Amino acid sequence: DSIVNQAFECISKSTGNFSIPENDIESVIKGLRKFPKTKTVVLIVDNWSDMRDYRLMSMINKPVKVIVCGTHINGKQYPINTEYLDLAKRTKGSIHTIEEDIFELEKLREGDEIKIGGSSFIIKKGRFLKK
């Protein structure tokens, strides 16, 4: 119940502009400081919002399981935001959509390609790029 109540409180404070960058990394860092014995982080993200704090990703030292919302809308499939793929890869975490669970992204190396949800991605300069 407390999680549902917290979710509704967050929604009620929303500006309605769902494409603005979010502070996902800062939130994870704050949560890990509060709960240092945590072994894995579960992060629910909006596929349509970038991370405004992407540069802080190296401060996370626990695997992040990223649940990506917004990859399927009105029967249409959209590519996963590459920033969330980077987060899962760098933290040895995973990606989860309504259709797929993607593990072991950290094993991908420069130039490797992967197909996720009908979209192809390649690793360039350590980051995912949509092909």
Side-chain angles (χ1 to χ4, degrees), residues 9-21:
E9 182 179 339
C10 290
I11 290 168
S12 71
K13 293 179 181 179
S14 171
T15 62
N17 183 354
F18 298 108
S19 62
I20 59 173

Side-chain angles (χ1 to χ4, degrees), residues 35-107:
F35 301 99
K37 293 182 182 178
T38 297
K39 293 183 179 158
T40 303
V41 174
V42 176
L43 179 65
I44 302 170
V45 301
D46 175 3
N47 192 49
W48 297 93
S49 293
D50 289 336
M51 291 186 271
R52 75 171 181 209
D53 48 6
Y54 180 90
R55 70 193 187 294
L56 301 176
M57 196 180 308
S58 63
M59 295 177 70
I60 298 175
N61 60 0
K62 307 283 177 145
V64 179
K65 295 182 179 201
V66 184
I67 300 173
V68 185
C69 302
T71 58
H72 292 77
I73 300 173
N74 296 327
K76 185 171 180 188
Q77 189 169 352
Y78 294 91
I80 293 175
N81 184 323
T82 57
E83 290 187 356
Y84 298 117
L85 292 171
D86 291 343
L87 176 61
K89 181 181 187 311
R90 289 186 184 180
T91 64
K92 298 181 181 175
S94 53
I95 292 285
H96 306 274
T97 70
I98 197 151
E99 298 286 329
E100 294 181 85
D101 297 307
I102 300 100
F103 300 96
E104 299 183 340
L105 292 169
E106 72 276 5
K107 292 183 177 181

